[in-house]
Amino acid sequence: MKVKNIKIEIQNEKEFIAEVMRDVKKIAKGKDVKKSAVSFESLKAMRKFITDERLRILKAIKKHHPQSIYELAKILDRDTKNVSDDVHYLAEMGLIELEKGKSNGREKTMPVVNYDKILLEIAV
């Protein structure tokens, strides 16, 4: 299994803008920009993103390897729509990969967590 660390950073606005500008310059030169971190401007903003339920989703995916979002919702004993919303949000942030596949002629989206830990970095 591929192991990678996802880093969550708390950055002030000035640091965030400087990072975006560096990335824009790389893109303009035709270079790839790979993000290894998710940045927030405050701990309060981060808490809205990393909820107890979303952490529970990440852990359940890692432990049970569900074959669909529906199966994941059953494991968590939660409403499928709410789990789907959280899974897609986590995928947009780069914390979950979504693999498309078919089973019994039906299209399924399989959530995948292919890392072992999330690192939280707060500059002081």
Side-chain angles (χ1 to χ4, degrees):
M1 173 194 293
K2 179 180 163 189
V3 176
K4 68 178 179 175
N5 293 324
I6 303 294
K7 185 166 64 171
I8 296 177
E9 300 173 311
I10 307 298
Q11 292 182 327
N12 65 38
E13 185 177 353
K14 187 176 178 180
E15 293 169 330
F16 179 75
I17 290 171
E19 183 178 329
V20 169
M21 294 306 294
R22 282 191 303 272
D23 291 346
V24 168
K25 288 177 184 176
K26 286 180 184 178
I27 292 168
K29 292 179 181 177
K31 296 180 180 178
D32 285 338
V33 177
K34 294 184 180 177
K35 290 304 216 180
S36 61
V38 178
S39 299
F40 297 94
E41 67 176 303
S42 69
L43 202 53
K44 183 178 181 180
M46 187 206 66
R47 283 188 191 124
K48 288 181 182 178
F49 169 71
I50 302 290
T51 64
D52 289 340
E53 283 302 313
R54 290 182 180 149
L55 282 175
R56 200 169 145 233
I57 286 172
L58 293 172
K59 289 176 182 181
I61 293 169
K62 184 74 174 174
K63 180 178 180 182
H64 300 285
H65 307 285
Q67 298 300 301
S68 67
I69 294 173
Y70 175 80
E71 184 180 333
L72 176 61
K74 294 298 176 197
I75 290 167
L76 297 168
D77 194 29
R78 285 186 59 201
D79 178 73
T80 305
K81 171 75 169 98
N82 293 338
V83 171
S84 179
D85 289 347
D86 280 344
V87 164
H88 284 91
Y89 183 73
L90 290 166
E92 286 176 26
M93 298 303 288
L95 296 176
I96 292 178
E97 291 180 22
L98 298 176
E99 297 178 359
K100 301 284 184 184
K102 283 192 175 187
S103 176
N104 298 329
R106 294 187 68 197
E107 178 111 359
K108 291 188 177 189
T109 302
M110 183 172 70
V112 178
V113 172
N114 63 2
Y115 54 89
D116 293 322
K117 60 183 166 180
I118 298 173
L119 301 175
L120 174 59
E121 185 175 295
I122 302 173
V124 291

